[in-house]
Amino acid sequence: MVSAPRGRDREQNKCYQAAWEMEKGIAAMAACYQTFDPAAYLQYNYTPPRADLTRKDSIVPWKLACLHRAFTEDDVSGELLLDIGSGPTLYQVLSGCEVFNKVLMTDFLEVNRQELRRWVQDAGGCSLDWTPYLQHVCKLEGRRYTWTEKATRLRRVIVDVLPIDVHRPQPMAPDALPAAGADCLVSCFCLESVSPDLAAFTRALGHIRKLLKPDGHLMLIGALGESYYLGGPGLKIPVVPLNEAQVCASLKESGFTLIRLEVYNLPRDMRIGVDDVTGVFFAKAKKK
């Protein structure tokens, strides 16, 4: 006769079951991304109306302004900026490239890494012209030099485009970073869009924290109230629908001290059917 499991055994079984369910969900998310279309994604999210750089309430100018302020504050400095889950986009490092001498970009998908390399190598064939973004950030920074000079600097300081998996305890290859880690992390719309649930999102935050030096900063941008987005024609990718309190709690649980949280509410005319996002958050945090 087999006795019923004791309390500790039952709790252990629950933990095993939860871990198994999370791993199954992560595998399902990875499978979802196998047909991700960088060109379509860029068209959906980085052209007007969402990327109307002449409109103050457009989402992209808001993001660029948040990043500009954060990267030009006196407490942010160092040698290496690491972009976590770059996707096929460059906007998130346009201000940071003026502060750090080295920028390392990363993504889980080879198609996104190829998109970035085409721009970095100035090889042509890019899916989006980043000129308006370069021009806009030059204006924010009050730079005297031209956007072409900024593009030249960005290409020079991007030292590599590497694979990453935020769901692994060690997200990058052991020799990808200096032993001490990066001086600063930036990550935009990555963790919530590759995690099956809030627990996986929080765990991923803990994983990327390991890539950061003690007292280093994290600049985190993500979606609020979003349950899906289109990663290509007919490709509906699930997203963890976060709220502000959950973002703050996850950062704290993962070993970050929140410095500032800003929120953008999406105007109705920018809800164009490529997702169901209601807002965007920007968090500046520091590794404890």
Side-chain angles (χ1 to χ4, degrees):
M1 182 175 178
V2 179
S3 61
R6 298 181 179 182
R8 182 179 295 178
D9 292 337
R10 284 196 295 269
E11 288 304 313
Q12 195 172 49
N13 286 339
K14 285 181 182 178
C15 288
Y16 288 148
Q17 179 67 23
W20 182 80
E21 291 290 345
M22 183 183 290
E23 293 306 318
K24 188 170 71 169
I26 289 168
M29 291 295 302
C32 220
Y33 273 93
Q34 294 313 302
T35 54
F36 184 85
D37 184 340
Y41 173 78
L42 290 168
Q43 179 65 34
Y44 297 154
N45 295 284
Y46 295 97
T47 61
R50 290 190 172 180
D52 186 345
L53 294 167
T54 65
R55 180 174 164 178
K56 290 184 178 179
D57 65 346
S58 184
I59 184 171
V60 169
W62 182 84
K63 290 187 293 184
L64 293 174
C66 286
L67 290 164
H68 164 64
R69 285 194 298 273
F71 278 121
T72 52
E73 290 170 338
D74 291 340
D75 59 339
V76 177
S77 63
E79 181 70 11
L80 177 62
L81 171 64
L82 175 61
D83 184 19
I84 304 289
S86 307
T89 65
L90 290 162
Y91 72 91
Q92 64 274 18
V93 296
L94 294 183
S95 288
C97 78
E98 301 291 348
V99 180
F100 299 90
N101 292 320
K102 295 180 181 178
V103 174
L104 188 57
M105 307 194 77
T106 66
D107 202 73
F108 181 72
L109 296 177
E110 176 60 19
V111 289
N112 285 336
R113 298 196 297 268
Q114 288 174 350
E115 177 72 29
L116 293 172
R117 288 187 194 114
R118 279 194 291 271
W119 189 88
V120 173
Q121 295 164 6
D122 203 8
C126 293
S127 299
L128 187 73
D129 179 8
W130 292 101
T131 301
Y133 290 77
L134 290 157
Q135 292 170 330
H136 186 81
V137 174
C138 281
K139 288 179 182 177
L140 286 176
E141 295 172 348
R143 298 283 174 185
R144 291 183 179 179
Y145 59 59
T146 65
W147 68 267
T148 55
E149 291 171 310
K150 187 171 185 68
T152 298
R153 173 171 174 81
L154 182 57
R155 287 189 169 104
R156 186 173 70 249
V157 301
I158 294 177
V159 293
D160 214 338
V161 183
L162 296 177
I164 192 169
D165 185 344
V166 298
H167 296 303
R168 291 180 179 272
Q170 183 62 40
M172 298 179 69
D175 59 349
L177 294 175
D183 297 285
C184 183
L185 306 181
V186 61
S187 186
C188 299
F189 302 105
C190 172
L191 303 186
E192 75 277 12
S193 62
V194 299
S195 298
D197 52 35
L198 180 60
F201 169 84
T202 304
R203 190 176 73 163
L205 267 173
H207 290 166
I208 69 170
R209 180 183 178 275
K210 298 174 186 176
L211 305 175
L212 185 62
K213 285 182 178 180
D215 295 324
H217 288 87
L218 167 67
M219 315 297 184
L220 187 67
I221 290 179
L224 293 171
E226 183 178 44
S227 68
Y228 79 92
Y229 79 97
L230 295 184
L235 177 60
K236 202 171 184 179
I237 297 178
V239 180
V240 180
L242 299 171
N243 60 42
E244 295 167 54
Q246 288 170 328
V247 172
C248 294
S250 291
L251 285 166
K252 184 177 181 180
E253 185 178 338
S254 303
F256 289 98
T257 299
L258 181 65
I259 297 172
R260 180 169 72 250
L261 184 75
E262 300 179 50
V263 172
Y264 167 91
N265 294 308
L266 204 71
R268 290 199 172 274
D269 67 334
M270 290 187 193
R271 300 180 188 185
I272 54 177
V274 298
D275 54 39
D276 60 350
V277 65
T278 60
V280 177
F281 71 86
F282 170 80
K284 180 181 177 182
K286 193 173 186 179
K287 181 175 178 177
K288 291 180 183 177

